[in-house]
Amino acid sequence: MTIHFPFQNTYSALPANFFARVAPTPVAAPRLIKLNRALAVHLGLDPDVLESPEGAEILAGKRLPDGADPIAMAYAGHQFGQFVPQLGDGRAILLGEVIDKDGVRRDIQLKGSGPTPFSRRGDGRAALGPVLREYIVSEAMFALGIPTTRSLAAVITGESVMRETMLPGAVLTRVAASHIRVGTFQFFAARGDTNGVRALADHVIARHYPDVAKAERPYHALLEGVVARQADLLARWLLVGFIHGVMNTDNTSISGETIDYGPCAFMDEYNPAQVFSSIDELGRYAYANQPRIALWNLTRLAECLLPLFSDDQDKAIEQAQFILGEFAEKFTAAYQTGLRKKIGLFTARDGDEALVQDLLDAMAKNTADFTLTFRRLSDAAGDEAAVADVRAQFTDPAAFDEWAVRWRQRFAEEPQSAGERQVAMRAVNPAFIPRNHRVEAVIAAAVNKDYAPFEELLTVLSKPYEDQPEFADYAEPPLPDQRVLRTFCGT
């Protein structure tokens, strides 16, 4: 059977030093674990074909679809602040690009598909656990309304991979607006290849920021666009308690999507200093540090673009600093607007920022669950009887009582009804997130060839803002003996 994907490949048409042409390494006995049928249809692909044995072979890299032009992309990056001049796709291969039903170009990439010239002595493979984690969390982020790469399929390979122990091997089919990163620009800038930086910038403008192509200063406008998208993305992360875990420049997407779900996690108890990544020993990528790190990463991008700004380096630096200076304002505006919505405010007034911050401070001091506090607060906005459920999140309920007096006083300044406020709050405060202990339980079951918990968790997370009484337990935080405090990279 010949399986055709409607590929329209543009990245592989760039100069040869942008990538390495390499085919996936065939695997022994691929078997489909999960196909995202709705996403397949949106990409113009036939889900019935992809669910066939031949489709599973394509999704595992054993067979190439007609029209594929497989490549591993070159990039560099700062990893925990240390620059590595060559990284690249060490275990991922881009099959090609398709145009989805919305007219948006999307990469289709196999992750865990074998070694490439960028593998750095790695085996190029992926274990089942990290594949399922990325599938779960990326699709949860999509359902939450946060820009993200997505998961088209997970396939078990029939082979084992050696990590600390032997584990089942798997391949994730990842879909992204593109896989171009800050580190992609750094790859060329580090080599003094200004023509490469310009070619990449022109490609990014055409693909992600077409409106800036006619700007008087298109490269300045490109940086402005990336700054704006990252500021919005980081605000969205914080508003749902998400911690990326490894915000290296090679994990910072130029398109403004969340990419590379390694040691990521959602907070249970609210703690601004929360870290889950086992390798982030100094807390560089802690929850509250993420906006600062995003700006640091964007500054590295700006450095790459300086030769395109002006031949006068001092002038170029001044222009870049001005654009970078907009990040804090854009992030703060998006974050504060989101926080007001989370506590049910429809307008912005003096004192709102302090009101929300006082709630967050009380939550931190009283080990309140981040997601449940805001969800229960949504209920309390329309039902006084639900206040008890909010108070129960605080070790000292009086801390909430004191804040709630001011909260209700603030309501009185707006004309919306209690019912309107409750509906608006429930639309931004999810009931369900991919809690660490749930994800780990799913992975443990899958390693034992039980995928039912994986399917059920995906079902729950696909409707995060609905109550789903039959799955109410999934909204609950972990018991003390269920807590997962460390997450690991998916290498």
Side-chain angles (χ1 to χ4, degrees), residues 404-424:
V405 172
R406 297 160 53 205
W407 181 49
R408 297 196 182 282
Q409 289 172 343
R410 176 65 179 82
F411 284 178
E413 300 174 11
E414 296 184 331
Q416 284 78 19
S417 68
E420 289 172 319
R421 178 163 283 107
Q422 183 183 62
V423 169

Side-chain angles (χ1 to χ4, degrees), residues 90-92 111-116 119 122-126 163:
R91 59 192 181 100
K111 192 171 182 180
S113 51
T116 78
S119 293
D123 62 8
R125 292 302 190 188
R163 296 301 182 255

Side-chain angles (χ1 to χ4, degrees), residues 282-345:
L282 300 179
R284 176 181 174 88
Y285 301 141
Y287 169 79
N289 280 353
Q290 292 179 121
R292 179 179 64 82
I293 291 297
L295 178 57
W296 193 92
N297 291 348
L298 290 166
T299 303
R300 307 288 78 78
L301 173 63
E303 291 168 352
C304 298
L305 296 174
L306 290 179
L308 309 186
F309 280 14
S310 174
D311 292 333
D312 183 336
Q313 187 175 35
D314 290 340
K315 183 177 181 181
I317 291 172
E318 181 181 354
Q319 293 168 346
Q321 287 176 333
F322 178 82
I323 295 170
L324 292 168
E326 297 178 344
F327 177 86
E329 181 180 350
K330 292 181 182 298
F331 165 76
T332 300
Y335 181 56
Q336 292 299 329
T337 296
L339 285 175
R340 281 196 302 273
K341 290 180 179 179
K342 286 181 79 69
I343 66 168
L345 302 182

Side-chain angles (χ1 to χ4, degrees), residues 427-446:
V428 297
N429 291 317
F432 301 98
I433 56 168
R435 293 186 182 270
N436 292 339
H437 69 297
R438 290 288 184 180
V439 175
E440 292 299 325
V442 160
I443 291 171

